[in-house]
Amino acid sequence: MRIRHIAIAGTAAAALTLGAALPAFAGDTQPPAKPSHTAAAHDTSDLRALAAKRKVQVFQDASYENRRTTFTENMRNLKKDGWNDTISSAINQGKCTVTFYQHKAYVGARFSLTKGEREPHFGDHPHMSDATSSIKFRC
């Protein structure tokens, strides 16, 4: 009987170390827990994979100069991030197509960069010189 209690305690300690849940009694069987949707949505490997697909580096000035940042998600309104009407060049470093829009909420004049494309001067596109207000990725 004592050996059984030691074995159960050892199993419980191992399970706690591994983060697993045990049934109320060692002899009980319970169905395995289903993964939560919240946990799956925040899996860091999924987020890294998505960021690798969606990645554009933008620059304040033409020819990839001065202030820069990288976006990995759709940006409905760049005003909130301090980049509204300031982007002059960009490099699409992801696998998705990225589209730059003249106005917030993805409207107005626009142009796109596919995987690996670069744009050294947004002013070469009508109505886009220092006029980008939203960015959207398409995969």
CSV table of all heavy atoms in Angstrom, one decimal, residues 39-90:
chain,number,residue,atom,x,y,z
A,39,ALA,N,-5.6,29.6,-26.3
A,39,ALA,CA,-4.2,29.2,-26.3
A,39,ALA,C,-3.7,28.9,-27.7
A,39,ALA,O,-2.6,29.3,-28.1
A,39,ALA,CB,-4.1,27.9,-25.5
A,40,ALA,N,-4.5,28.3,-28.6
A,40,ALA,CA,-4.1,28.1,-30.0
A,40,ALA,C,-3.9,29.4,-30.7
A,40,ALA,O,-3.0,29.5,-31.5
A,40,ALA,CB,-5.1,27.2,-30.7
A,41,ALA,N,-4.7,30.4,-30.5
A,41,ALA,CA,-4.6,31.6,-31.2
A,41,ALA,C,-3.4,32.4,-30.8
A,41,ALA,O,-2.9,33.2,-31.5
A,41,ALA,CB,-5.9,32.5,-30.9
A,42,HIS,N,-2.8,32.2,-29.6
A,42,HIS,CA,-1.7,32.9,-29.1
A,42,HIS,C,-0.4,32.1,-29.1
A,42,HIS,O,0.6,32.4,-28.5
A,42,HIS,CB,-2.0,33.4,-27.7
A,42,HIS,CG,-3.1,34.4,-27.7
A,42,HIS,ND1,-3.0,35.7,-28.3
A,42,HIS,CD2,-4.3,34.4,-27.2
A,42,HIS,CE1,-4.1,36.3,-28.1
A,42,HIS,NE2,-5.0,35.5,-27.5
A,43,ASP,N,-0.4,31.0,-29.8
A,43,ASP,CA,0.8,30.1,-29.9
A,43,ASP,C,1.9,31.0,-30.6
A,43,ASP,O,1.7,31.5,-31.7
A,43,ASP,CB,0.5,28.9,-30.8
A,43,ASP,CG,1.6,27.9,-30.9
A,43,ASP,OD1,2.7,28.2,-30.2
A,43,ASP,OD2,1.5,27.0,-31.6
A,44,THR,N,3.0,31.1,-29.9
A,44,THR,CA,4.1,32.0,-30.5
A,44,THR,C,4.6,31.5,-31.8
A,44,THR,O,5.0,32.3,-32.6
A,44,THR,CB,5.2,32.1,-29.4
A,44,THR,OG1,5.7,30.8,-29.1
A,44,THR,CG2,4.7,32.9,-28.2
A,45,SER,N,4.6,30.2,-32.0
A,45,SER,CA,5.1,29.7,-33.3
A,45,SER,C,4.2,30.1,-34.4
A,45,SER,O,4.7,30.5,-35.5
A,45,SER,CB,5.3,28.2,-33.3
A,45,SER,OG,4.1,27.5,-33.1
A,46,ASP,N,2.9,30.1,-34.2
A,46,ASP,CA,1.9,30.6,-35.2
A,46,ASP,C,2.1,32.1,-35.5
A,46,ASP,O,2.1,32.5,-36.6
A,46,ASP,CB,0.5,30.4,-34.7
A,46,ASP,CG,0.1,28.9,-34.8
A,46,ASP,OD1,0.8,28.1,-35.4
A,46,ASP,OD2,-0.9,28.6,-34.1
A,47,LEU,N,2.4,32.9,-34.4
A,47,LEU,CA,2.6,34.3,-34.6
A,47,LEU,C,3.9,34.6,-35.3
A,47,LEU,O,3.9,35.4,-36.2
A,47,LEU,CB,2.6,35.0,-33.2
A,47,LEU,CG,1.3,35.0,-32.4
A,47,LEU,CD1,1.5,35.6,-31.1
A,47,LEU,CD2,0.2,35.7,-33.2
A,48,ARG,N,4.9,33.8,-35.1
A,48,ARG,CA,6.2,34.0,-35.8
A,48,ARG,C,6.0,33.6,-37.2
A,48,ARG,O,6.5,34.3,-38.1
A,48,ARG,CB,7.3,33.2,-35.2
A,48,ARG,CG,7.9,33.8,-33.9
A,48,ARG,CD,9.2,33.1,-33.5
A,48,ARG,NE,8.8,31.7,-33.1
A,48,ARG,CZ,8.8,31.3,-31.9
A,48,ARG,NH1,9.1,32.1,-30.9
A,48,ARG,NH2,8.5,30.1,-31.6
A,49,ALA,N,5.3,32.5,-37.5
A,49,ALA,CA,5.0,32.1,-38.9
A,49,ALA,C,4.2,33.2,-39.7
A,49,ALA,O,4.5,33.5,-40.8
A,49,ALA,CB,4.3,30.8,-39.0
A,50,LEU,N,3.2,33.8,-39.0
A,50,LEU,CA,2.4,34.8,-39.6
A,50,LEU,C,3.3,36.1,-39.9
A,50,LEU,O,3.2,36.7,-40.9
A,50,LEU,CB,1.2,35.2,-38.8
A,50,LEU,CG,0.3,36.2,-39.4
A,50,LEU,CD1,-0.3,35.7,-40.7
A,50,LEU,CD2,-0.9,36.4,-38.4
A,51,ALA,N,4.1,36.4,-38.9
A,51,ALA,CA,5.0,37.6,-39.0
A,51,ALA,C,6.0,37.4,-40.2
A,51,ALA,O,6.3,38.3,-40.9
A,51,ALA,CB,5.7,37.9,-37.7
A,52,ALA,N,6.4,36.1,-40.4
A,52,ALA,CA,7.3,35.9,-41.5
A,52,ALA,C,6.6,36.0,-42.9
A,52,ALA,O,7.2,36.5,-43.8
A,52,ALA,CB,7.9,34.5,-41.4
A,53,LYS,N,5.4,35.8,-42.9
A,53,LYS,CA,4.6,35.9,-44.1
A,53,LYS,C,4.3,37.4,-44.4
A,53,LYS,O,4.3,37.9,-45.5
A,53,LYS,CB,3.3,35.2,-44.1
A,53,LYS,CG,3.4,33.7,-44.2
A,53,LYS,CD,2.0,33.1,-44.2
A,53,LYS,CE,2.1,31.6,-44.3
A,53,LYS,NZ,0.7,31.0,-44.4
A,54,ARG,N,4.0,38.1,-43.3
A,54,ARG,CA,3.6,39.5,-43.4
A,54,ARG,C,4.7,40.4,-42.8
A,54,ARG,O,4.9,40.5,-41.6
A,54,ARG,CB,2.3,39.8,-42.6
A,54,ARG,CG,1.1,39.1,-43.1
A,54,ARG,CD,0.0,39.4,-42.1
A,54,ARG,NE,-1.3,38.8,-42.6
A,54,ARG,CZ,-2.4,39.0,-42.0
A,54,ARG,NH1,-2.5,39.7,-40.9
A,54,ARG,NH2,-3.5,38.5,-42.5
A,55,LYS,N,5.5,41.0,-43.7
A,55,LYS,CA,6.6,41.8,-43.2
A,55,LYS,C,7.1,42.8,-44.2
A,55,LYS,O,7.5,42.4,-45.3
A,55,LYS,CB,7.8,40.9,-42.8
A,55,LYS,CG,9.0,41.6,-42.1
A,55,LYS,CD,10.0,40.6,-41.7
A,55,LYS,CE,11.1,41.3,-40.9
A,55,LYS,NZ,12.1,40.3,-40.5
A,56,VAL,N,6.9,44.1,-43.9
A,56,VAL,CA,7.3,45.1,-44.8
A,56,VAL,C,8.1,46.2,-43.9
A,56,VAL,O,7.6,46.6,-42.9
A,56,VAL,CB,6.1,45.8,-45.5
A,56,VAL,CG1,5.1,46.5,-44.6
A,56,VAL,CG2,6.6,46.7,-46.6
A,57,GLN,N,9.2,46.5,-44.4
A,57,GLN,CA,10.0,47.6,-43.8
A,57,GLN,C,9.7,48.9,-44.5
A,57,GLN,O,9.9,48.9,-45.8
A,57,GLN,CB,11.5,47.2,-43.8
A,57,GLN,CG,12.3,48.2,-43.0
A,57,GLN,CD,13.7,47.7,-42.8
A,57,GLN,OE1,14.3,47.1,-43.6
A,57,GLN,NE2,14.4,48.1,-41.7
A,58,VAL,N,9.4,49.9,-43.8
A,58,VAL,CA,9.1,51.2,-44.4
A,58,VAL,C,10.1,52.3,-43.9
A,58,VAL,O,10.6,52.1,-42.8
A,58,VAL,CB,7.6,51.7,-44.1
A,58,VAL,CG1,6.6,50.7,-44.7
A,58,VAL,CG2,7.4,51.9,-42.7
A,59,PHE,N,10.3,53.3,-44.8
A,59,PHE,CA,11.3,54.3,-44.5
A,59,PHE,C,10.7,55.7,-44.7
A,59,PHE,O,9.8,55.9,-45.6
A,59,PHE,CB,12.5,54.2,-45.5
A,59,PHE,CG,13.2,52.8,-45.3
A,59,PHE,CD1,12.7,51.7,-46.0
A,59,PHE,CD2,14.3,52.7,-44.6
A,59,PHE,CE1,13.3,50.5,-45.9
A,59,PHE,CE2,15.0,51.5,-44.5
A,59,PHE,CZ,14.5,50.4,-45.2
A,60,GLN,N,11.1,56.6,-43.9
A,60,GLN,CA,10.6,58.0,-43.9
A,60,GLN,C,11.0,58.7,-45.2
A,60,GLN,O,10.2,59.4,-45.8
A,60,GLN,CB,11.1,58.8,-42.7
A,60,GLN,CG,10.6,60.2,-42.7
A,60,GLN,CD,11.1,60.9,-41.5
A,60,GLN,OE1,11.9,60.4,-40.7
A,60,GLN,NE2,10.7,62.2,-41.3
A,61,ASP,N,12.1,58.4,-45.7
A,61,ASP,CA,12.6,59.1,-46.9
A,61,ASP,C,12.8,58.2,-48.1
A,61,ASP,O,12.9,56.9,-47.9
A,61,ASP,CB,13.9,59.9,-46.6
A,61,ASP,CG,13.7,61.0,-45.6
A,61,ASP,OD1,12.6,61.6,-45.6
A,61,ASP,OD2,14.6,61.4,-44.9
A,62,ALA,N,12.9,58.7,-49.3
A,62,ALA,CA,13.2,57.9,-50.5
A,62,ALA,C,14.6,57.2,-50.3
A,62,ALA,O,15.4,57.6,-49.5
A,62,ALA,CB,13.2,58.8,-51.7
A,63,SER,N,14.7,56.2,-51.1
A,63,SER,CA,16.0,55.4,-51.2
A,63,SER,C,16.3,54.8,-49.9
A,63,SER,O,17.5,54.6,-49.5
A,63,SER,CB,17.1,56.3,-51.7
A,63,SER,OG,16.9,56.8,-53.0
A,64,TYR,N,15.3,54.4,-49.1
A,64,TYR,CA,15.4,53.7,-47.8
A,64,TYR,C,16.3,54.4,-46.8
A,64,TYR,O,17.1,53.8,-46.1
A,64,TYR,CB,16.0,52.3,-48.2
A,64,TYR,CG,15.5,51.7,-49.4
A,64,TYR,CD1,16.3,51.6,-50.6
A,64,TYR,CD2,14.2,51.3,-49.5
A,64,TYR,CE1,15.7,51.1,-51.7
A,64,TYR,CE2,13.6,50.8,-50.7
A,64,TYR,CZ,14.4,50.7,-51.8
A,64,TYR,OH,13.9,50.2,-52.9
A,65,GLU,N,16.0,55.7,-46.6
A,65,GLU,CA,16.8,56.5,-45.7
A,65,GLU,C,16.0,56.9,-44.5
A,65,GLU,O,14.8,57.0,-44.5
A,65,GLU,CB,17.3,57.8,-46.5
A,65,GLU,CG,18.2,57.5,-47.6
A,65,GLU,CD,19.6,57.1,-47.2
A,65,GLU,OE1,20.0,57.5,-46.1
A,65,GLU,OE2,20.2,56.3,-47.9
A,66,ASN,N,16.7,57.3,-43.5
A,66,ASN,CA,16.3,57.9,-42.2
A,66,ASN,C,15.4,56.9,-41.4
A,66,ASN,O,15.6,55.7,-41.4
A,66,ASN,CB,15.6,59.3,-42.4
A,66,ASN,CG,16.7,60.3,-42.8
A,66,ASN,OD1,17.8,60.2,-42.4
A,66,ASN,ND2,16.4,61.2,-43.7
A,67,ARG,N,14.4,57.5,-40.7
A,67,ARG,CA,13.6,56.7,-39.8
A,67,ARG,C,12.9,55.5,-40.5
A,67,ARG,O,12.5,55.6,-41.6
A,67,ARG,CB,12.5,57.6,-39.2
A,67,ARG,CG,11.7,57.0,-38.1
A,67,ARG,CD,10.8,58.0,-37.4
A,67,ARG,NE,9.7,58.5,-38.2
A,67,ARG,CZ,8.4,58.4,-37.9
A,67,ARG,NH1,8.1,57.9,-36.7
A,67,ARG,NH2,7.5,58.8,-38.7
A,68,ARG,N,12.9,54.4,-39.8
A,68,ARG,CA,12.3,53.2,-40.4
A,68,ARG,C,11.6,52.4,-39.3
A,68,ARG,O,11.9,52.5,-38.1
A,68,ARG,CB,13.4,52.3,-41.0
A,68,ARG,CG,14.4,51.7,-40.0
A,68,ARG,CD,15.6,51.1,-40.6
A,68,ARG,NE,16.4,52.1,-41.1
A,68,ARG,CZ,17.5,51.8,-41.9
A,68,ARG,NH1,17.8,50.6,-42.2
A,68,ARG,NH2,18.2,52.8,-42.3
A,69,THR,N,10.7,51.5,-39.8
A,69,THR,CA,10.0,50.6,-38.9
A,69,THR,C,9.6,49.4,-39.8
A,69,THR,O,9.6,49.4,-41.0
A,69,THR,CB,8.8,51.2,-38.2
A,69,THR,OG1,8.4,50.3,-37.1
A,69,THR,CG2,7.6,51.4,-39.1
A,70,THR,N,9.1,48.3,-39.1
A,70,THR,CA,8.6,47.1,-39.8
A,70,THR,C,7.2,46.9,-39.3
A,70,THR,O,6.9,46.9,-38.1
A,70,THR,CB,9.5,45.9,-39.5
A,70,THR,OG1,10.9,46.2,-39.9
A,70,THR,CG2,9.0,44.7,-40.2
A,71,PHE,N,6.3,46.6,-40.3
A,71,PHE,CA,4.9,46.3,-40.0
A,71,PHE,C,4.7,44.8,-40.4
A,71,PHE,O,5.2,44.3,-41.4
A,71,PHE,CB,4.0,47.1,-40.8
A,71,PHE,CG,3.9,48.6,-40.4
A,71,PHE,CD1,4.5,49.5,-41.2
A,71,PHE,CD2,3.4,48.9,-39.2
A,71,PHE,CE1,4.5,50.9,-40.8
A,71,PHE,CE2,3.4,50.3,-38.8
A,71,PHE,CZ,3.9,51.2,-39.6
A,72,THR,N,4.0,44.1,-39.5
A,72,THR,CA,3.7,42.6,-39.7
A,72,THR,C,2.2,42.4,-39.6
A,72,THR,O,1.8,41.2,-39.5
A,72,THR,CB,4.5,41.8,-38.7
A,72,THR,OG1,4.1,42.2,-37.4
A,72,THR,CG2,6.0,41.9,-38.9
A,73,GLU,N,1.4,43.4,-39.6
A,73,GLU,CA,0.0,43.2,-39.6
A,73,GLU,C,-0.7,44.4,-40.4
A,73,GLU,O,-0.1,45.4,-40.6
A,73,GLU,CB,-0.5,43.2,-38.2
A,73,GLU,CG,-0.3,44.4,-37.4
A,73,GLU,CD,-0.7,44.3,-35.9
A,73,GLU,OE1,-0.2,43.4,-35.3
A,73,GLU,OE2,-1.4,45.2,-35.5
A,74,ASN,N,-1.9,44.2,-40.7
A,74,ASN,CA,-2.7,45.2,-41.4
A,74,ASN,C,-2.8,46.4,-40.5
A,74,ASN,O,-3.0,46.3,-39.3
A,74,ASN,CB,-4.1,44.7,-41.7
A,74,ASN,CG,-4.1,43.6,-42.8
A,74,ASN,OD1,-3.2,43.5,-43.6
A,74,ASN,ND2,-5.1,42.8,-42.8
A,75,MET,N,-2.6,47.6,-41.1
A,75,MET,CA,-2.7,48.9,-40.4
A,75,MET,C,-3.8,49.7,-41.0
A,75,MET,O,-3.6,50.3,-42.1
A,75,MET,CB,-1.3,49.6,-40.5
A,75,MET,CG,-0.1,48.8,-39.9
A,75,MET,SD,-0.3,48.3,-38.2
A,75,MET,CE,-0.2,49.8,-37.4
A,76,ARG,N,-4.9,49.8,-40.4
A,76,ARG,CA,-6.1,50.5,-40.9
A,76,ARG,C,-5.9,52.0,-40.8
A,76,ARG,O,-6.5,52.7,-41.6
A,76,ARG,CB,-7.3,50.0,-40.0
A,76,ARG,CG,-8.6,50.6,-40.5
A,76,ARG,CD,-9.8,50.1,-39.7
A,76,ARG,NE,-11.0,50.6,-40.2
A,76,ARG,CZ,-11.7,50.1,-41.2
A,76,ARG,NH1,-11.2,49.1,-41.8
A,76,ARG,NH2,-12.8,50.7,-41.5
A,77,ASN,N,-5.1,52.5,-39.8
A,77,ASN,CA,-4.9,53.9,-39.7
A,77,ASN,C,-3.5,54.2,-39.1
A,77,ASN,O,-3.3,54.0,-38.0
A,77,ASN,CB,-6.0,54.5,-38.8
A,77,ASN,CG,-5.9,56.0,-38.7
A,77,ASN,OD1,-5.0,56.6,-39.2
A,77,ASN,ND2,-6.9,56.6,-38.0
A,78,LEU,N,-2.6,54.6,-40.0
A,78,LEU,CA,-1.2,54.8,-39.6
A,78,LEU,C,-1.0,56.0,-38.7
A,78,LEU,O,0.1,56.2,-38.1
A,78,LEU,CB,-0.3,54.9,-40.8
A,78,LEU,CG,-0.1,53.6,-41.6
A,78,LEU,CD1,0.6,53.9,-42.9
A,78,LEU,CD2,0.7,52.6,-40.8
A,79,LYS,N,-2.0,56.8,-38.5
A,79,LYS,CA,-1.9,58.0,-37.6
A,79,LYS,C,-1.6,57.6,-36.2
A,79,LYS,O,-0.9,58.2,-35.5
A,79,LYS,CB,-3.2,58.8,-37.7
A,79,LYS,CG,-3.1,60.2,-37.1
A,79,LYS,CD,-4.3,61.0,-37.4
A,79,LYS,CE,-4.1,62.4,-36.9
A,79,LYS,NZ,-5.2,63.3,-37.3
A,80,LYS,N,-2.2,56.5,-35.8
A,80,LYS,CA,-2.0,56.0,-34.4
A,80,LYS,C,-0.6,55.5,-34.2
A,80,LYS,O,-0.1,55.5,-33.0
A,80,LYS,CB,-2.9,54.8,-34.2
A,80,LYS,CG,-4.4,55.1,-34.3
A,80,LYS,CD,-5.3,53.9,-34.1
A,80,LYS,CE,-6.7,54.2,-34.3
A,80,LYS,NZ,-7.6,53.0,-34.2
A,81,ASP,N,0.2,55.2,-35.2
A,81,ASP,CA,1.6,54.7,-35.0
A,81,ASP,C,2.6,55.8,-35.4
A,81,ASP,O,3.8,55.5,-35.5
A,81,ASP,CB,1.8,53.5,-35.9
A,81,ASP,CG,0.9,52.3,-35.4
A,81,ASP,OD1,1.2,51.8,-34.3
A,81,ASP,OD2,-0.1,52.0,-36.1
A,82,GLY,N,2.2,57.0,-35.8
A,82,GLY,CA,3.1,58.1,-36.1
A,82,GLY,C,3.7,57.9,-37.5
A,82,GLY,O,4.7,58.6,-37.8
A,83,TRP,N,3.0,57.1,-38.4
A,83,TRP,CA,3.6,57.0,-39.7
A,83,TRP,C,2.6,57.5,-40.8
A,83,TRP,O,2.9,57.3,-42.0
A,83,TRP,CB,3.9,55.5,-40.0
A,83,TRP,CG,5.2,55.1,-39.4
A,83,TRP,CD1,5.4,54.6,-38.1
A,83,TRP,CD2,6.5,55.3,-40.0
A,83,TRP,NE1,6.8,54.5,-37.9
A,83,TRP,CE2,7.4,54.8,-39.1
A,83,TRP,CE3,6.9,55.7,-41.2
A,83,TRP,CZ2,8.8,54.8,-39.3
A,83,TRP,CZ3,8.3,55.7,-41.5
A,83,TRP,CH2,9.2,55.3,-40.5
A,84,ASN,N,1.6,58.1,-40.4
A,84,ASN,CA,0.6,58.7,-41.4
A,84,ASN,C,1.3,59.7,-42.3
A,84,ASN,O,1.9,60.7,-41.8
A,84,ASN,CB,-0.6,59.3,-40.7
A,84,ASN,CG,-1.7,59.6,-41.6
A,84,ASN,OD1,-2.2,58.8,-42.4
A,84,ASN,ND2,-2.2,60.9,-41.6
A,85,ASP,N,1.1,59.6,-43.6
A,85,ASP,CA,1.6,60.5,-44.6
A,85,ASP,C,3.1,60.8,-44.5
A,85,ASP,O,3.6,61.9,-44.8
A,85,ASP,CB,0.9,61.8,-44.5
A,85,ASP,CG,-0.6,61.7,-44.9
A,85,ASP,OD1,-1.0,60.7,-45.5
A,85,ASP,OD2,-1.4,62.6,-44.5
A,86,THR,N,3.9,59.8,-44.1
A,86,THR,CA,5.4,60.0,-44.0
A,86,THR,C,6.2,58.9,-44.7
A,86,THR,O,7.4,59.1,-44.8
A,86,THR,CB,5.8,60.0,-42.5
A,86,THR,OG1,5.5,58.7,-41.9
A,86,THR,CG2,5.2,61.1,-41.7
A,87,ILE,N,5.6,57.9,-45.2
A,87,ILE,CA,6.4,56.8,-45.8
A,87,ILE,C,6.8,57.2,-47.2
A,87,ILE,O,5.9,57.6,-48.0
A,87,ILE,CB,5.6,55.5,-45.8
A,87,ILE,CG1,5.2,55.0,-44.4
A,87,ILE,CG2,6.3,54.4,-46.6
A,87,ILE,CD1,4.3,53.9,-44.3
A,88,SER,N,8.0,57.0,-47.6
A,88,SER,CA,8.5,57.4,-48.9
A,88,SER,C,9.2,56.3,-49.6
A,88,SER,O,9.5,56.4,-50.8
A,88,SER,CB,9.5,58.6,-48.8
A,88,SER,OG,8.9,59.7,-48.3
A,89,SER,N,9.5,55.2,-48.9
A,89,SER,CA,10.1,54.0,-49.6
A,89,SER,C,9.8,52.8,-48.7
A,89,SER,O,9.5,52.9,-47.5
A,89,SER,CB,11.6,54.2,-49.8
A,89,SER,OG,12.3,54.4,-48.6
A,90,ALA,N,9.9,51.6,-49.3
A,90,ALA,CA,9.6,50.3,-48.6
A,90,ALA,C,10.3,49.1,-49.3
A,90,ALA,O,10.5,49.1,-50.5
A,90,ALA,CB,8.1,50.1,-48.6
